[in-house]
């Protein structure tokens, strides 16, 4: 009985196609690219159209930095007012005015959007907020205990003066 010899397939190394001038791509092949990916080509600066049909110009780095500073400043103002329970007059207009002064510094160091800022300094910002909260708690407790001590001292002084003057109303 003769055994049939297994056919050996041709090596892929020897069966190469001839390269086309387009680098292997046929002229008919056109990849579909989503609008989101096309917009990334402009690094988020794609044209936007308002409701009335006018085209918004891309934001400058300073405008982006002002938006970032306004967001951060607003969050800090809210945290401060929430932690202390007091209104310091940090309204939206004052925060925007401060943001205009901070924006050039953010542009200088290349921080014009929140993602970039948090990717580099997010851990440090979180640590500062945590330590700030701890320090504020200690400071608040210190003020409370100091006020209690002063009230007790005033009461003790009033009692001594009452006893010294002979007025015993208790």
């Amino acid at each position: 009985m003769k055994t049939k010899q297994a056919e050996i397939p041709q090596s892929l190394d020897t069966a190469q196609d001839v390269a086309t001038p387009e680098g292997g791509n046929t002229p008919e092949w056109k990849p579909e690219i989503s609008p989101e990916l096309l917009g990334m080509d402009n690094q988020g600066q794609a044209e936007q159209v308002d409701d009335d049909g006018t085209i918004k110009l891309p934001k400058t780095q300073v405008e982006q930095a002002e938006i970032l500073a306004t967001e951060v400043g607003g969050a800090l103002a809210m945290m401060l007012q929430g932690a202390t329970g007091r209104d310091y007059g940090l309204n939206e207009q004052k925060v925007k005015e401060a943001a205009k002064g901070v924006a050039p510094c953010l542009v200088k160091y290349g921080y014009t959007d929140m993602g970039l800022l948090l990717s580099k300094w997010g851990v440090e910002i979180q640590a500062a907020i945590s330590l700030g909260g701890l320090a504020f708690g200690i400071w608040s407790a210190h003020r409370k205990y100091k006020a209690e001590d002063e009230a007790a001292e005033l009461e003790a002084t009033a009692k001594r003066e009452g006893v010294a003057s002979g007025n015993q109303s208790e």
Side-chain angles (χ1 to χ4, degrees):
M1 227 171 154
K2 276 189 171 179
T3 59
K4 197 174 188 184
Q5 274 189 340
E7 290 183 16
I8 300 174
Q10 186 177 4
S11 170
L12 294 177
D13 291 338
T14 59
Q16 293 182 0
D17 292 331
V18 177
T20 59
E22 295 86 20
N25 294 331
T26 59
E28 310 82 51
W29 184 75
K30 297 198 190 294
E32 291 184 29
I33 300 176
S34 69
E36 292 83 14
L37 290 176
L38 285 173
M40 289 175 67
D41 187 36
N42 295 331
Q43 297 180 7
Q45 299 289 332
E47 288 183 350
Q48 298 176 358
V49 180
D50 278 340
D51 294 336
D52 62 358
T54 59
I55 295 175
K56 292 185 199 176
L57 295 174
K59 289 183 175 56
T60 65
Q61 287 185 331
V62 173
E63 289 172 331
Q64 287 178 329
E66 284 178 12
I67 291 169
L68 173 63
T70 301
E71 290 173 357
V72 171
L76 290 174
M78 284 179 36
M79 286 189 331
L80 178 66
Q81 289 177 356
T84 62
R86 296 182 178 182
D87 182 14
Y88 294 100
L90 299 174
N91 59 26
E92 187 176 342
Q93 184 60 34
K94 287 184 180 179
V95 170
K96 283 184 179 181
E97 288 172 14
K100 286 183 185 226
V102 172
C105 181
L106 293 175
V107 170
K108 178 181 178 181
Y109 293 103
Y111 300 117
T112 57
D113 69 9
M114 186 66 84
L116 183 61
L117 181 68
L118 291 178
S119 70
K120 177 139 183 163
W121 297 102
V123 182
E124 289 82 356
I125 291 170
Q126 183 178 0
I129 290 170
S130 297
L131 290 174
L134 181 64
F136 180 77
I138 292 169
W139 178 71
S140 295
H142 173 73
R143 281 187 23 209
K144 176 184 167 197
Y145 295 141
K146 185 176 179 183
E148 288 174 357
D149 291 345
E150 288 174 355
E153 187 176 322
L154 284 174
E155 188 177 319
T157 303
K159 279 186 180 180
R160 277 182 284 176
E161 288 177 359
V163 170
S165 66
N167 185 4
Q168 296 178 349
S169 60
E170 292 182 25

